[in-house]
Structure formats: structure tokens, C-alpha cells
């Protein structure tokens, strides 16, 4: 998976503003997740380029709109330029040891850190779930608007992970919930 032409490690203007508005420390996030800023032309213009790795190998990338004006916030690398489809990857899977926290989005992973993985939205695939094989415990922490999707994911993950719990944020406090049996 080649990154788009014209990417840079320089995060100025809109790229740095995007991270600051979301209360990230730009230099830390850029370094930890090997982020790039795109050029101002081309298919991925004005996007933060997020490389996707599996077993430390670059397999694809996602571009996150930094302007707030694009029709799509996230744009996946063309499948013909990727080694794996985005929907067969869990973002940040290489950071997981025994416990995984499954979230919807890339920025959720940035907020939580190591051990957090993103399914790239509420919909997930069997390929993504299979990447959790060997994990001892999984927490599902989907956004508040997706309780049914979180329960379904918990049920599906429980087929290969011995202990699965659903977490939700209520007034800023983490509340564990047992998935429906």
C-alpha cells in the first residue's frame, strides 16, 4: 500500500488545527501513529493520512478530512493500491496484547491509546473479528448512538474471546454492561 503522492510530516494550518480542536497534542499523535498530512491537490487533498498496519506491515491507509467540508469524513485507500481491505483490518491491532478495547473510529483509538482498536464504523466483518483470536478479554466501547451494534459485536466476539464486556460512557463515567445472554 503506497501512501498518496505529496504526503508530508509537516502538520501546519488546518492539519494541526484539526488535532488541537480535538484536544490532541499534535506531535505526540503524529509520532505515535505515524500520521502524514496530504497535499492540497489530488484525491486525498486536505486529509490527514493514517497508515494501517498489520504485523508491522503497511497494508493500507485512510484519509481523514481536516477541513470539515468534505462529503466524506474518511476516505479509504483504493483497494487496488492496498494489500488488505480496510474492512479486514482492525486499526491499531499491533498494539494489543491480552486485552482489546473495540471502538468505532480512528480518533477514538488516539484518545484511548494502546490496546484500543477501531472497526472503522459501526459495521464490522468476520475478518476483523478473526484478528482478535488469542485475546483473553475484549471490551466493546461503541458510540452512544450504537447500543444494538455494540451488543451484536459483543455476541460475535464472544465466539473467540473468552471474556467480553460492553462499556458505555454515561455523563463521562465508564459504565460496564453485561451483554445480553
Amino acid at each position: 500500500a503506497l501512501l498518496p503522492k505529496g504526503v508530508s510530516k509537516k502538520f501546519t494550518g488546518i492539519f494541526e488545527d484539526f488535532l488541537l480542536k480535538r484536544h490532541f497534542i499534535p506531535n505526540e499523535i503524529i509520532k505515535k501513529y505515524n500520521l502524514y498530512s496530504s497535499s492540497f491537490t489530488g484525491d486525498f487533498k486536505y486529509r490527514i493520512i493514517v497508515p494501517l498496519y498489520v504485523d508491522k506491515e503497511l497494508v493500507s491507509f485512510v484519509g481523514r478530512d481536516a477541513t470539515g467540508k468534505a462529503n466524506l469524513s474518511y476516505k479509504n485507500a483504493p483497494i487496488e493500491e492496498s494489500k488488505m481491505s480496510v474492512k479486514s483490518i482492525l486499526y491499531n491491532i499491533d498494539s494489543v496484547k491480552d486485552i482489546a478495547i473495540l471502538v468505532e473510529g480512528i480518533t477514538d483509538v488516539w484518545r484511548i491509546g494502546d490496546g484500543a482498536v477501531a472497526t472503522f464504523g459501526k459495521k464490522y466483518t468476520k475478518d476483523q473479528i478473526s484478528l482478535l483470536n488469542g485475546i483473553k478479554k475484549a471490551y466493546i466501547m461503541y458510540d452512544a448512538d450504537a447500543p444494538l451494534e455494540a451488543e451484536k459485536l459483543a455476541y460475535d466476539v464472544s465466539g473467540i474471546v473468552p471474556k467480553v464486556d460492553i462499556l458505555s460512557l454515561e455523563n463521562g463515567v465508564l459504565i460496564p454492561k453485561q451483554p445480553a445472554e
Side-chain angles (χ1 to χ4, degrees), residues 105-122:
I106 289 170
T107 57
D108 298 326
V109 167
W110 297 350
R111 183 78 53 221
I112 297 168
D114 291 349
V117 296
T119 55
F120 304 101
K122 296 174 197 167

Side-chain angles (χ1 to χ4, degrees), residues 84-116:
M84 293 175 77
S85 155
V86 168
K87 282 310 231 178
S88 62
I89 301 165
L90 288 170
Y91 177 61
N92 202 38
I93 187 66
D94 288 353
S95 77
V96 173
K97 304 274 187 280
D98 295 329
I99 299 170
I101 302 168
L102 284 81
V103 296
E104 289 179 46
I106 289 170
T107 57
D108 298 326
V109 167
W110 297 350
R111 183 78 53 221
I112 297 168
D114 291 349

Side-chain angles (χ1 to χ4, degrees), residues 35-55:
L35 305 180
Y36 294 84
S37 61
S38 67
S39 65
F40 301 115
T41 60
D43 290 343
F44 287 86
K45 64 184 175 198
Y46 301 110
R47 290 181 181 274
I48 293 174
I49 303 302
V50 182
L52 306 179
Y53 299 94
V54 176
D55 295 326

